[in-house]
Amino acid sequence: RNIHAIRVYVAEFHPSMVTVVEGILRDATIGSLPAQQIFRFMLLAFAAGRAYQEANPTAAVDPHGYDG
């Protein structure tokens, strides 16, 4: 679910990074520890975003980050 969310977000808001993200995912899949760590961090960031949204349901939607 989070990997799909990352792919969708990057494709929509940072299309120039799609190749980079897909490369990191590919490298993580074949066992690159740095790539796995980067992707784990990205997954944690998406989970943190979801937790923030659940804890602050009335916060304004900001696809580029939270303003405070």
Side-chain angles (χ1 to χ4, degrees):
R1 170 176 140 183
N2 284 339
I3 291 172
H4 176 72
I6 290 169
R7 284 178 161 145
V8 169
Y9 178 88
V10 171
E12 186 171 343
F13 295 105
H14 301 283
S16 64
M17 295 295 293
V18 167
T19 304
V20 173
V21 171
E22 290 301 325
I24 293 170
L25 180 56
R26 181 195 64 241
D27 292 350
T29 301
I30 61 173
S32 167
L33 182 58
Q36 289 172 351
Q37 291 170 329
I38 290 168
F39 226 85
R40 229 177 256 125
F41 179 76
M42 291 169 66
L43 293 171
L44 289 171
F46 264 75
R50 281 202 180 93
Y52 178 87
Q53 288 172 334
E54 289 173 8
N56 300 280
T58 60
V61 176
D62 182 0
H64 302 290
Y66 299 105
D67 289 329

